[in-house]
Amino acid sequence: ALAASEDTVLPAATAALQRYADELESMTDAMHPAPDELSLPSKNSPYVVVDGPSLCILWKPAGWTVSIDRMAGEPDGALDGEISESIGQQLGKGNDMKDWVWQHFGRQHPVARDPRVGHGIVHRLDKGTSGLLLFAKNHRACLAALAQFVLRRVRKEYVCLCHGHFPIPSSPPRFLEAPLREVV
């Protein structure tokens, strides 16, 4: 019964998301104008690893934040400029992936300027973590990718690299295969 339900609900949901994505795409240009200039990359800057027709894989260096506010119609942070800047400085914020995406993709891809869909950034990585991020170049791709994450159809693997002394265990290496859990 669940498979039959998924077979009928998924196409209907996909069609509805595509209609909504088309609407978002047409509204974004007026709400969030494209950036005037691009910043040049530095040695610890993000960069494009794979550039596909509707999705990009980006490299996020450690120290960069991924804040993907998905507050419908609200500006990022929902604070006025002075308060937001003050809080950002206090928290040590500065290198934010959404700003990088806005500058590097905002001219050609309106989704990069749209906070309602997290500027096209599909998922998060912690500030201290470096790794790959998925960026959608348009609203359709963004909503489709988000749906894949929500439906748990995306398989994620993590590698932890350690530096320093680690005693050689007498038993063979172990893999952690338990799901991560959220502590609220």
Side-chain angles (χ1 to χ4, degrees):
L2 183 60
S5 162
E6 195 172 297
D7 288 342
T8 57
V9 172
L10 193 55
T14 299
L17 286 173
Q18 287 177 349
R19 286 191 302 276
Y20 181 59
D22 291 342
E23 191 176 310
L24 288 174
E25 198 80 20
S26 66
M27 295 178 353
T28 301
D29 279 330
M31 291 173 34
H32 304 285
D36 292 330
E37 57 187 62
L38 294 176
S39 63
L40 297 174
S42 68
K43 74 176 194 173
N44 291 321
S45 290
Y47 59 88
V48 176
V49 176
V50 176
D51 190 0
S54 59
L55 297 170
C56 282
I57 298 173
L58 307 177
W59 176 256
K60 183 200 90 66
W64 283 70
T65 58
V66 182
S67 56
I68 48 178
D69 306 323
R70 290 199 173 88
M71 298 167 53
E74 293 293 326
D76 287 341
L79 299 170
D80 70 40
E82 287 181 31
I83 295 171
S84 178
E85 185 177 331
S86 166
I87 289 173
Q89 289 171 351
Q90 290 171 11
L91 296 176
K93 195 175 173 181
N95 294 329
D96 197 319
M97 287 299 296
K98 73 175 183 247
D99 297 333
W100 187 88
V101 164
W102 185 311
Q103 287 210 338
H104 287 80
F105 294 102
R107 285 183 180 274
Q108 300 95 357
H109 307 290
V111 71
R113 302 187 308 269
D114 192 347
R116 296 170 300 178
V117 291
H119 301 278
I121 300 171
V122 179
H123 62 97
R124 292 184 16 88
L125 285 177
D126 291 338
K127 182 176 181 175
T129 303
S130 60
L132 302 175
L133 279 178
L134 189 61
F135 165 71
K137 291 181 173 181
N138 58 60
H139 286 87
R140 276 187 178 208
C142 185
L143 294 176
L146 286 169
Q148 294 300 311
F149 273 85
V150 168
L151 293 171
R152 299 190 181 272
R153 292 190 172 174
V154 176
R155 182 174 175 219
K156 298 174 269 182
E157 292 186 18
Y158 299 90
V159 175
C160 176
L161 300 177
C162 301
H163 176 74
H165 177 72
F166 188 77
I168 299 173
S170 57
S171 60
R174 298 183 326 171
F175 289 96
L176 297 176
E177 295 186 22
L180 296 176
R181 65 183 177 129
E182 184 174 342
V183 178
V184 182

